[in-house]
Amino acid sequence: MKATPRQRDLVDVMEQLTSERDVVSRLQQLRPQQVRYVRLLALLEQLDQRVAAGEWRSLERSPAIKPGNSDARVAEIRERLRFWGDLAPGASGTGDARLYDGDLQTAVRHFQTRHGLDVDGVIGAGTLDALNITPAVRRQQVINNLERWRWLADDLGEKHVLVNIAGFELKVIDNNKTVLRKPVIVGRDYRRTPVFSDRIRYLVFNPTWTVPHKLAIKDKLPDIKADPAYLTRLGFTVFDQQQNRVDPAQVDWSKVTERGFAYRLVQGPGPLNALGQVKFMFPNQYDVYLHDTPSRELFSKSGRAFSSGCVRVAEPLDLAALLLQDSGFTRAQIDAIVAKGELRTVFLKKPIPVHIEYWTAWIDSDNQVNFRNDIYERDPPLAAALAAPLYAD
């Protein structure tokens, strides 16, 4: 994980502080000024006042509670949804404290939306896990994410692309307003998408895909051994170390080992290409970028950590059209390029900042508090670092 820190001349800061009459005001000016940071700071102040909210016992994760069911846990669930603001204080229900009624179902769906869960109205294991998280834990989660804001540069760019790994979402923000929002697929736990910032410089339509060597031996080689026609069926060209084309049917793949894999696999453009119809390039040390995918059915899932590290974007041509507006391209022109099926690279007139971040708590533009699962388990070590003394004995 790589932070893009705000730049500060500490000597200059200290000199200004010694000459300031209102030191507190000056220190506050050193905080991030983005509205999303300010919202989160206000939430922390609210939680500070409410964190000692009585007993918060753990509710059993099963069985699931469906609308119309009667269950002893319903009364406590109702109180927790009131606490978090998903259920109005005056909503008293039917009078049966155990009944999962219509008002409660509406509140449960609202809670599920705020937590990135399947919005089905069923109080299942995932929803109960989220309901079981105490206000004190949520408070620490907010503190962790406030710290992440302090790692970012002061200026994210008037227009920029923001990917939230833990939220499985991409947004384009222009003049502090969200103008595009798309679900994304991020890296699996053992191939995590990194945190960093860069600039999108160009787009490649109908791209080829050169399989990274590690993926070729770990992912593709087992598939090739299981299905001799795999490479041909999916449109791969095989090259040897001298860059000569190799007929895959002439290779005894059963004898090829990971250590002895001496081939380069290149998948041609087409509907089966792993990068889909377009990729968004910002060359970086991680070899990570945004791209389309032929596996679009995965976007319907609430948890979307399925990739090998790159970020797959739903409906990526919408993003392409927005980014290329200033470069003189219309959506019709983009569709024509894709329909032609030939590889084409288009440079942006002005590179656009892209920030790949990891947020597990935020307040959105509708003033709704959002929490997400810590899919890469990054919150505990961050909390420990924040709690550690500045100087060891």
Side-chain angles (χ1 to χ4, degrees):
M1 185 169 60
K2 179 182 178 182
T4 307
R6 297 181 294 147
Q7 300 300 317
R8 287 283 186 270
D9 184 333
L10 295 182
V11 173
D12 180 60
V13 169
M14 293 303 297
E15 288 178 348
Q16 290 185 41
L17 285 176
T18 56
S19 62
E20 281 280 348
R21 292 185 177 179
D22 189 351
V23 175
V24 173
S25 176
R26 177 57 184 160
L27 287 172
Q28 288 178 341
Q29 291 173 22
L30 297 176
R31 290 174 169 173
Q33 299 301 308
Q34 288 90 346
V35 65
R36 285 164 284 174
Y37 176 88
V38 175
R39 290 180 194 143
L40 206 55
L41 193 61
L43 174 60
L44 177 62
E45 293 173 356
Q46 294 173 23
L47 288 175
D48 284 342
Q49 300 169 8
R50 306 178 66 190
V51 74
E55 183 183 5
W56 202 274
R57 64 183 180 84
S58 182
L59 301 172
E60 293 292 333
R61 301 177 74 242
S62 64
I65 310 172
K66 298 181 179 180
N69 287 171
S70 182
D71 191 286
R73 293 168 292 175
V74 167
E76 180 62 25
I77 290 170
R78 192 182 298 275
E79 289 307 309
R80 293 186 188 183
L81 292 174
R82 283 199 183 101
F83 178 90
W84 291 117
D86 299 286
L87 184 65
S92 58
T94 61
D96 183 350
R98 299 167 55 95
L99 180 65
Y100 183 11
D101 59 20
D103 284 347
L104 187 58
Q105 183 182 354
T106 300
V108 166
R109 286 179 173 273
H110 188 263
F111 180 88
Q112 290 172 331
T113 299
R114 293 193 304 105
H115 290 76
L117 302 168
D118 290 326
V119 184
D120 55 11
V122 176
I123 308 174
T127 300
L128 285 161
D129 285 344
L131 284 165
N132 278 332
I133 296 176
T134 68
V137 171
R138 290 303 191 196
R139 177 182 178 276
Q140 183 60 54
Q141 198 170 345
V142 169
I143 291 172
N144 295 340
N145 285 273
L146 284 168
E147 176 63 17
R148 290 185 175 111
W149 270 107
R150 299 182 191 108
W151 301 346
L152 286 173
D154 285 323
D155 185 6
L156 301 181
E158 183 177 350
K159 183 176 183 180
H160 62 271
V161 176
L162 180 66
V163 175
N164 181 5
I165 298 168
F168 307 113
E169 185 179 60
L170 174 148
K171 295 191 290 188
V172 177
I173 298 173
D174 191 353
N175 197 23
N176 221 27
K177 293 183 180 179
T178 300
V179 295
L180 185 74
R181 188 191 305 266
K182 296 292 181 185
V184 299
I185 293 167
V186 301
R188 288 165 277 186
D189 183 54
Y190 59 92
R191 289 182 183 159
R192 298 180 177 186
T193 299
V195 169
F196 68 106
S197 296
D198 212 302
R199 291 179 179 271
I200 298 174
R201 291 168 169 79
Y202 62 94
L203 280 60
V204 181
F205 293 99
N206 303 311
T208 60
W209 180 43
T210 299
V211 184
H213 183 73
K214 183 178 180 180
L215 297 189
I217 61 175
K218 295 295 184 182
D219 293 0
K220 297 304 176 186
L221 185 55
D223 291 336
I224 296 167
K225 289 183 174 183
D227 178 8
Y230 177 86
L231 292 169
T232 302
R233 180 165 50 81
L234 292 182
F236 282 96
T237 301
V238 182
F239 297 90
D240 63 19
Q241 290 181 315
Q242 288 73 43
Q243 307 307 313
N244 300 311
R245 292 185 63 156
V246 175
D247 182 353
Q250 299 303 310
V251 178
D252 186 352
W253 294 103
S254 66
K255 296 181 179 179
V256 177
T257 64
E258 289 187 6
R259 180 170 294 182
F261 191 92
Y263 302 98
R264 184 167 61 94
L265 308 180
V266 180
Q267 189 179 31
L272 299 178
N273 185 283
L275 306 183
Q277 297 174 323
V278 61
K279 63 179 180 177
F280 305 80
M281 298 302 295
F282 38 103
N284 58 80
Q285 68 188 83
Y286 309 104
D287 198 24
V288 163
Y289 44 88
L290 314 178
H291 65 82
D292 184 17
T293 175
S295 303
R296 297 183 177 114
E297 70 282 356
L298 296 177
F299 289 112
S300 64
K301 298 183 178 295
S302 56
R304 295 188 290 274
F306 301 118
S307 85
S308 295
C310 284
V311 178
R312 307 176 193 172
V313 183
E315 301 174 315
L317 295 185
D318 291 347
L319 176 60
L322 182 59
L323 297 186
L324 289 174
Q325 277 180 346
D326 295 339
S327 300
F329 283 81
T330 65
R331 178 57 187 265
Q333 289 174 311
I334 291 171
D335 290 340
I337 291 171
V338 172
K340 199 170 183 180
E342 298 176 358
L343 186 148
R344 180 168 174 183
T345 299
V346 178
F347 283 83
L348 298 181
K349 185 176 180 180
K350 180 181 180 182
I352 294 179
V354 56
H355 306 282
I356 301 181
E357 300 299 333
Y358 188 89
W359 309 108
T360 58
W362 71 93
I363 298 181
D364 62 28
S365 56
D366 294 325
N367 208 35
Q368 296 297 312
V369 178
N370 284 259
F371 292 108
R372 292 296 184 272
N373 290 334
D374 181 15
I375 60 172
Y376 293 164
E377 298 182 345
R378 288 176 172 167
D379 275 352
L382 176 54
L386 291 172
L390 290 176
Y391 300 102
D393 294 334

